[in-house]
Amino acid sequence: MKLTDFYYDLPQELIAQDPLEKRSDSRLMVIGREDGSIEHRHFYDIIDYVNPGDCLVINDTKVIPARLMGVKEDTGASIEVLLLKRKEEKVWETLVKPGKKARVGARISFGDGLLIGEVIDIVEEGNRLIRFEYDGIWEELLDQLGQMPLPPYITHQLKDRNRYQTVYAKHEGSAAAPTAGLHFTQELLQQLEDKGVVIAHVTLHVGLGTFRPVKVENILEHHMHSEFYVVEEDAAAKINAAKARGNQIISVGTTSTRTLESVADGNGNVRAGSGWTDIFIYPGYSFKVVDSLITNFHLPESTLLMLVSAFSTRENMLSAYEVAVKERYRFFSFGDAMFIQKREKGV
């Protein structure tokens, strides 16, 4: 399977630079998982496509203000640090720009010395392990000094950092938002619950590995970075009960999907637990848990586009993306949504 099999042409002006004023006003393309049929709706219409007893699985990770702007102590040169994974209490795996200025032993000052970082090792793909020194509470310092780690294709300044969080974000640890969830409002979630939809929370802390470009032409040679997940007993029970009833499991986003497929047994039952997953889902994968999928429109040649192509078919997805371009849908993190559905409309 070739990387170029997942290419499509996207005009730059269709990349959404700002979130809509109201989250659920985004457009929604509803696609038949098997037949590729297409309907054009708005996200708040999602309630028409679910039935009482269906289980909606959401990722309640919270994005941390992981981008830190600092200077080297010895030269005063500007340096940017992006927090990726916490390895110990004060040690993080990071992405540093420019990397050549961050040799082992380099010390970086943030906020006029409120926070000091020392590079202690260089690891996979040139990432740096940095040990931080500070007084006070880490989370408060990060909130004071850090910026939200918006993707590089978003060039506008984000006025309200909460718009890069889901309304149900709870557990801090992500370097990027689970963007399919950004379309939900508290009101819409309440309407879904009032209809009898069961909502199950899982946690997967999104790392930048999910979004790293695939650099090999044979996609089977691509290596996914691992991400930390938690599935609690009550969430597993809700999902398994819905599955046993014959209701659909609706996954909100590729992160929830990767979590569920990582913890499922051969019969499609979800096991509670926590750990690291580097699951790579591409066409040919047989889904064990997820029946329907809410997702955004993803970058060309990305692992996310490969996942949704596995969930439906590559032909269905590329055809849908062609329609989305023609109909001027908004793409990527702050863009519109897609619902790949297993069933007919709810009643």
Side-chain angles (χ1 to χ4, degrees):
M1 212 170 307
K2 295 184 298 184
L3 181 60
T4 48
D5 291 337
F6 299 91
Y7 178 80
Y8 68 92
D9 192 35
L10 178 68
Q12 284 287 113
E13 67 268 17
L14 295 185
I15 299 173
Q17 292 295 323
D18 303 287
L20 294 181
E21 188 173 337
K22 187 172 182 184
R23 294 170 183 260
S24 60
D25 281 352
S26 53
R27 294 167 75 186
L28 178 69
M29 181 184 284
V30 182
I31 301 174
R33 181 177 176 184
E34 293 184 5
D35 63 12
S37 59
I38 292 175
E39 292 181 64
H40 302 288
R41 302 293 297 270
H42 285 90
F43 194 79
Y44 49 73
D45 295 319
I46 194 74
I47 197 163
D48 296 335
Y49 294 87
V50 296
N51 292 303
D54 287 347
C55 185
L56 187 77
V57 183
I58 58 179
N59 180 8
D60 63 9
T61 187
K62 191 170 187 178
V63 184
I64 60 173
R67 179 169 277 125
L68 293 163
M69 309 304 295
V71 295
K72 282 191 71 181
E73 276 193 341
D74 55 352
T75 65
S78 295
I79 202 155
E80 177 183 326
V81 172
L82 187 63
L83 305 174
L84 298 178
K85 287 180 192 172
R86 195 173 205 162
K87 309 295 279 188
E88 300 172 23
E89 185 183 355
K90 293 189 175 184
V91 177
W92 284 76
E93 183 177 340
T94 69
L95 182 65
V96 177
K97 295 180 185 177
K100 62 184 178 183
K101 293 182 180 176
R103 296 186 175 90
V104 172
R107 289 174 62 83
I108 307 162
S109 172
F110 307 92
D112 294 325
L114 281 176
L115 179 66
I116 301 292
E118 181 178 345
V119 179
I120 59 172
D121 199 2
I122 299 175
V123 293
E124 188 180 11
E125 295 197 3
N127 291 347
R128 267 60 174 175
L129 287 187
I130 294 182
R131 179 186 292 114
F132 290 98
E133 305 165 11
Y134 54 88
D135 294 319
I137 300 170
W138 168 254
E139 287 77 14
E140 290 180 359
L141 261 180
L142 202 57
D143 200 49
Q144 178 183 347
L145 301 175
Q147 301 171 16
M148 289 306 256
L150 294 179
Y153 51 74
I154 294 177
T155 57
H156 290 191
Q157 198 73 28
L158 184 63
K159 294 172 185 173
D160 178 4
R161 65 167 60 177
N162 285 326
R163 293 307 308 273
Y164 196 58
Q165 301 278 20
T166 62
V167 296
Y168 45 77
K170 185 176 181 182
H171 301 290
E172 292 191 335
S174 274
T179 55
L182 295 179
H183 305 281
F184 285 95
T185 61
Q186 293 290 7
E187 293 80 9
L188 182 54
L189 288 167
Q190 188 60 56
Q191 289 169 6
L192 289 164
E193 286 195 284
D194 290 345
K195 188 171 181 176
V197 173
V198 177
I199 298 178
H201 293 237
V202 298
T203 305
L204 181 118
H205 292 319
V206 188
L208 292 188
T210 305
F211 305 98
R212 279 186 191 272
V214 180
K215 296 178 179 177
V216 287
E217 181 56 23
N218 177 3
I219 69 165
L220 303 185
E221 296 173 3
H222 178 68
H223 170 65
M224 293 285 284
H225 289 250
S226 60
E227 295 167 314
F228 186 74
Y229 69 83
V230 180
V231 179
E232 301 285 0
E233 292 281 358
D234 68 321
K238 288 178 180 179
I239 295 161
N240 292 335
K243 201 84 175 168
R245 289 193 302 268
N247 285 99
Q248 63 176 335
I249 308 302
I250 305 164
S251 180
V252 178
T254 58
T255 60
S256 298
T257 300
R258 293 177 65 245
T259 303
L260 291 175
E261 295 298 316
S262 296
V263 299
D265 63 21
N267 298 317
N269 291 312
V270 170
R271 297 165 297 198
S274 63
W276 296 84
T277 179
D278 61 358
I279 188 171
F280 179 20
I281 297 175
Y282 52 85
Y285 179 85
S286 180
F287 286 81
K288 301 187 283 287
V289 184
V290 181
D291 299 306
S292 298
L293 171 62
I294 295 170
T295 189
N296 279 21
F297 291 90
H298 304 296
L299 278 74
E301 299 184 335
S302 63
T303 60
L304 306 179
L305 182 54
M306 294 170 196
L307 185 152
V308 297
S309 295
F311 191 71
S312 177
T313 68
R314 187 180 71 90
E315 292 73 21
N316 283 349
M317 286 300 100
L318 291 180
S319 176
Y321 273 56
E322 191 176 325
V323 171
V325 169
K326 183 181 175 184
E327 297 292 330
R328 311 292 291 177
Y329 274 69
R330 300 163 74 250
F331 279 68
F332 305 164
S333 296
F334 288 141
D336 294 315
M338 174 186 286
F339 180 45
I340 310 172
Q341 63 158 349
K342 172 189 176 184
R343 293 190 174 173
E344 296 300 314
K345 243 197 244 191
V347 291

